[in-house]
Amino acid sequence: MSVLSLNVSVLVLALLWILLLASLSVKREKVHTTEILDEKDEPLIDENAVSERHKPVNFGEWYELLENEHDKHTKIIFNPLWQRDFNEYTKFSDFCKDKGVSVIKEYNLDFQDRQSVIYFDDSILMPLLWNKGYNIKFVKGKSFTDLLKEVAPFTLILLSVKDDGSQALNHKWQEKLADYGVRKLTREFLHSSYINVIWKKGAKEYISLFEEVSDKAITKTISSGYKVKDFNMPIHLEVKSAGYNSGNVSSVKINGEEFSPNLRGMNIIMYDLIESKVRSVHRVDTFVSIFEDNTIYCAYPEEERK
């Protein structure tokens, strides 16, 4: 009888031990699953990612364009960033279907179809379209000089280049930008680092407090209270630029907080001196374009002059 009781006790203990091990295994699996979901919810930022402070997706100009200018051959190249605002993208996609406009992925483009009018708002597509024999024209958006011109007086304009910020700056644009304090960056500085801290003092008065271009990485720190060219810096500013061959990064920190989109070309932060806050963040991919992100372009076959 005692032996039977002992065997039952051993069996019960064995079952309890098995259940405990199973429970621990399930917990480990659940923890592992949670970690994977967290990684999906908060992906690591790569060089193509856009800062949350960067200009959001705006379909307004697309709606206006398609209401007034499109035909049965109109095609729009899908921009992956549109899905950052999935609800708005869904509405836009339905609108295009109603209009008979095709929204297609880049890899589904039929370059043998020379009748189609191709619209897009992702400047990274430009080299592909040029290589396929298309000309590209500006349709809707703002240029680098528009951004500098339209910002309010008493604004700090902080510029930092990643990769390259000069290839698209032909002589015409260099002359225009010089009026706004951008003077040292020219096409000869391909893949160079560049930073500029500009004080827009008045409606047409732009004072460059610090401008530098170099083949090496540039880092500039200006402490709060530092006086330069009759301007007292009200913030602690750290600006870094590293061109393609010297680190390939852009960083603009204001009081320790990062604001640069860290994208190819010119990263632009507008700091309102009156409100003491960042008013807006922009990126102009000056490697291929002089217009800011979300600008709409039209690509058409080289033989067709429009």
Side-chain angles (χ1 to χ4, degrees):
M1 190 71 177
S2 60
V3 173
L4 180 60
S5 298
L6 180 61
N7 289 338
V8 170
S9 298
V10 171
L11 181 60
V12 169
L13 287 172
L15 288 174
L16 288 173
W17 180 248
I18 292 171
L19 289 173
L20 178 60
L21 289 175
S23 175
L24 289 172
S25 176
V26 169
K27 286 181 179 180
R28 288 193 186 101
E29 289 177 0
K30 286 182 178 179
V31 170
H32 181 64
T33 303
T34 301
E35 290 174 349
I36 293 175
L37 289 174
D38 286 345
E39 290 175 356
K40 290 180 179 178
D41 291 340
E42 298 179 7
L44 294 176
I45 297 174
D46 61 26
E47 64 180 55
N48 295 315
V50 178
S51 166
E52 289 300 320
R53 297 186 183 90
H54 192 45
K55 185 175 180 181
V57 178
N58 180 9
F59 293 104
E61 292 185 342
W62 277 113
Y63 287 123
E64 184 179 338
L65 172 69
L66 296 178
E67 285 286 6
N68 300 303
E69 182 182 346
H70 80 279
D71 59 34
K72 64 181 180 179
H73 296 296
T74 297
K75 292 181 179 179
I76 297 174
I77 304 179
F78 170 77
N79 186 339
L81 293 181
W82 292 348
Q83 292 185 313
R84 293 180 67 211
D85 191 337
F86 187 75
N87 291 333
E88 288 301 318
Y89 168 63
T90 300
K91 292 178 185 177
F92 176 65
S93 180
D94 291 340
F95 175 84
C96 290
K97 289 178 183 178
D98 292 341
K99 287 288 183 180
V101 175
S102 300
V103 178
I104 57 177
K105 300 288 180 68
E106 165 197 344
Y107 50 79
N108 287 329
L109 277 172
D110 180 8
F111 292 107
Q112 302 303 315
D113 175 15
R114 309 302 277 187
Q115 290 185 317
S116 294
V117 179
I118 301 174
Y119 290 97
F120 63 99
D121 66 357
D122 187 354
S123 60
I124 202 170
L125 295 169
M126 287 183 172
L128 169 67
L129 293 165
W130 283 327
N131 289 336
K132 294 296 183 178
Y134 282 80
N135 284 326
I136 296 171
K137 67 178 181 179
F138 162 80
V139 178
K140 295 177 73 68
K142 293 182 179 180
S143 69
F144 190 2
T145 53
D146 288 334
L147 296 174
L148 299 175
K149 180 180 180 181
E150 293 175 7
V151 69
F154 302 107
T155 295
L156 273 181
I157 303 167
L158 311 173
L159 307 178
S160 169
V161 161
K162 175 181 178 177
D163 190 313
D164 177 71
S166 66
Q167 182 168 265
L169 303 183
N170 58 31
H171 185 68
K172 178 188 75 172
W173 284 109
Q174 288 173 25
E175 287 187 336
K176 289 183 177 182
L177 287 167
D179 293 335
Y180 301 96
V182 180
R183 296 184 175 90
K184 293 185 178 181
L185 187 63
T186 61
R187 293 179 90 172
E188 65 185 282
F189 293 106
L190 185 69
H191 291 161
S192 294
S193 307
Y194 175 82
I195 66 176
N196 201 341
V197 178
I198 301 170
W199 173 28
K200 185 172 182 180
K201 185 177 180 180
K204 296 183 179 180
E205 188 175 7
Y206 296 78
I207 301 172
S208 177
L209 304 177
F210 181 87
E211 182 183 26
E212 185 175 347
V213 61
S214 174
D215 291 333
K216 299 179 180 179
I218 307 169
T219 300
K220 179 64 176 178
T221 300
I222 304 177
S223 299
S224 176
Y226 182 80
K227 188 173 183 178
V228 52
K229 297 183 179 179
D230 295 325
F231 177 82
N232 287 305
M233 183 61 67
I235 55 177
H236 182 80
L237 180 62
E238 301 169 77
V239 184
K240 180 177 180 178
S241 169
Y244 182 78
N245 297 318
S246 58
N248 203 25
V249 69
S250 163
S251 174
V252 178
K253 292 183 179 179
I254 299 173
N255 296 329
E257 185 175 357
E258 181 66 71
F259 285 91
S260 174
N262 191 29
L263 296 170
R264 185 178 71 180
M266 192 69 68
N267 296 269
I268 308 166
I269 290 82
M270 306 294 195
Y271 183 83
D272 189 322
L273 292 164
I274 297 176
E275 297 290 334
S276 299
K277 67 179 183 180
V278 170
R279 179 64 64 183
S280 60
V281 177
H282 308 267
R283 192 281 294 249
V284 178
D285 187 3
T286 38
F287 180 69
V288 292
S289 175
I290 200 66
F291 297 93
E292 72 165 332
D293 287 344
N294 293 344
T295 291
I296 299 175
Y297 303 91
C298 176
Y300 54 95
E302 200 168 83
E303 60 270 17
E304 295 181 18
R305 300 292 177 181
K306 294 190 177 183

